[in-house]
Amino acid sequence: MYDQKTQETDNSVIEFIENGESIERREEAYMLIDVFSEVTGYDPKMWRTGIIGFGKYNYYFPSGHEGEAPLVGFSPRKAKIGLYIEVEDIQCGELLKQLGPYTVGKYCMYINKVEDIHLDTLKAVVKRSVANLQEKHPHGD
């Protein structure tokens, strides 16, 4: 049986941010909380030990794998900031061309610094991402 690693916790978002290594990353985390909260309407919640998530949805794969995940979120890591955003549709792809520099990993995209990206574009990407996931998984939060 699959043991879901990414789960919502009761840990404090503020405490997590304040324990960050650099003042710059802490400031960026608060900026991203403002962006994600404004767009989603959800309060930030800790997921796992280092992901700040907004809202949640239930997913199910034909293999039988199912679980719960944040609709969107981010992780203010030391080297780069991980953005957990659903970007599979064409509209998100077009928006990402305007975002600024980023790379894509297995489960998220990475930016070096918040100041490197266009925040209004990020807001549009987050909004589109939430709409995508709510359409695909209508029984979420």
Side-chain angles (χ1 to χ4, degrees):
M1 184 169 179
Y2 175 76
D3 183 25
Q4 182 177 338
K5 294 178 184 173
T6 304
Q7 296 180 352
E8 185 177 341
T9 71
D10 290 330
N11 297 342
S12 166
V13 171
I14 302 300
E15 188 174 306
F16 169 72
I17 292 170
E18 290 301 318
N19 286 328
E21 293 189 26
S22 74
I23 187 85
E24 292 83 13
R25 273 295 188 253
R26 291 193 294 268
E27 289 172 355
E28 290 177 314
Y30 288 121
M31 287 174 61
L32 289 173
I33 283 175
D34 289 345
V35 167
F36 281 67
S37 293
E38 175 188 328
V39 173
T40 67
Y42 294 109
D43 292 329
K45 302 283 184 178
M46 289 302 303
W47 287 74
R48 256 184 120 169
T49 58
I51 298 171
I52 300 171
F54 300 80
K56 57 186 166 185
Y57 71 98
N58 298 312
Y59 60 84
Y60 175 82
F61 294 110
S63 66
H65 176 99
E66 60 184 292
E68 191 174 70
L71 280 169
V72 291
F74 69 92
S75 181
R77 300 175 182 170
K78 183 177 180 180
K80 296 184 180 228
I81 299 170
L83 301 175
Y84 295 88
I85 300 173
E86 168 71 37
V87 295
E88 292 181 359
D89 81 338
I90 292 171
Q91 289 179 358
C92 276
E94 289 301 313
L95 286 168
L96 290 177
K97 292 177 184 177
Q98 304 165 33
L99 182 64
Y102 68 91
T103 57
V104 178
K106 188 172 182 179
Y107 297 108
C108 66
M109 56 192 301
Y110 298 97
I111 60 172
N112 290 321
K113 296 183 270 184
V114 172
E115 70 183 29
D116 291 344
I117 61 170
H118 189 258
L119 286 181
D120 285 338
T121 301
L122 177 61
K123 289 177 184 179
V125 170
V126 169
K127 183 176 182 176
R128 183 70 204 155
S129 176
V130 169
N132 287 347
L133 287 171
Q134 288 176 329
E135 184 177 309
K136 288 179 188 178
H137 308 279
H139 303 294
D141 196 14

